[in-house]
């Protein structure tokens, strides 16, 4: 509880791996969700989970990866990968229960290590990874728009941000 610091709810997650990412608070169709990505270093059956932020009740879960990078939400999808290398997934956050078979919109089979988090701007997913490459995919189908090496970049640990005009920094 933000008013007094007491615990409002606690949800055990025995089938969840570890994660160092920040949960994402989103709202879809009037329903608030707390998106947690925590699968350890590899993909797991409950690597991506949605909880009700008021009660801690598990709303849905999906096979995916989450460790160092936080999930990105925009244009109707959640995109996440572990940040340590491996697959990435785009998920429609509208289901309930196990949505692995029904709500994964597309996959990227191999995303190299990039500890920073992805970002979704307009209808594109942007992901910075080693060796200093910025990749861009279309939200609707995961088709790669481009992959460009940023030679003056010195690290892939920072997460890109966007301004109101949609410019990435």
């Amino acid at each position: 509880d933000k008013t007094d610091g007491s615990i409002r709810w606690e949800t055990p997650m025995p089938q969840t791996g570890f994660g160092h990412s920040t949960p994402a608070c989103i709202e879809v169709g009037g329903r608030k969700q707390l998106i947690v990505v925590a699968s350890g270093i590899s993909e797991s059956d409950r690597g991506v989970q949605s909880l009700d932020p008021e009660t801690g009740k598990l709303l849905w879960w999906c096979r995916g990866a989450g460790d160092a990078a936080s999930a990105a939400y925009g244009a109707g999808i959640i995109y996440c990968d572990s940040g340590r290398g491996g697959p990435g997934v785009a998920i429609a956050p509208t289901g309930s229960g196990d949505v692995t078979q029904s709500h994964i919109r597309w996959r990227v089979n191999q995303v190299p290590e990039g500890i920073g988090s992805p970002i979704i701007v307009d209808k594109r997913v942007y992901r910075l990874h080693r060796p200093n490459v910025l990749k861009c995919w279309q939200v609707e189908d995961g088709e790669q728009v481009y992959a460009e090496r940023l030679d003056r970049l010195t690290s892939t640990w920072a997460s890109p941000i966007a301004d109101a005009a949609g410019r990435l920094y």
Side-chain angles (χ1 to χ4, degrees), residues 83-140:
R84 305 246 188 223
V89 293
I91 306 157
T94 55
S96 61
D98 185 351
V99 299
T100 302
Q101 299 301 315
S102 57
H103 285 68
I104 291 181
R105 296 296 175 242
W106 48 268
R107 287 178 59 89
V108 177
N109 289 327
Q110 181 61 37
V111 179
E113 181 180 65
I115 300 297
S117 299
I119 189 170
I120 298 173
V121 179
D122 295 323
K123 294 188 177 192
R124 293 188 171 177
V125 177
Y126 297 91
R127 185 68 171 104
L128 183 61
H129 65 74
R130 283 186 177 179
N132 301 340
V133 172
L134 179 65
K135 280 195 179 153
C136 175
W137 300 289
Q138 293 181 45
V139 163
E140 58 271 1

Side-chain angles (χ1 to χ4, degrees), residues 135-149:
K135 280 195 179 153
C136 175
W137 300 289
Q138 293 181 45
V139 163
E140 58 271 1
D141 58 11
E143 182 177 328
Q144 185 172 302
V145 177
Y146 64 82
E148 182 158 339
R149 186 172 172 105

Side-chain angles (χ1 to χ4, degrees), residues 39-67:
S39 66
I41 293 179
S42 61
E43 244 186 341
S44 72
D45 289 340
R46 291 190 182 221
V48 184
Q49 298 182 49
S50 170
L51 295 101
D52 180 325
E54 294 294 320
T55 66
K57 177 185 175 215
L58 185 60
L59 301 172
W60 59 262
W61 63 92
C62 184
R63 182 162 185 79
D67 173 8

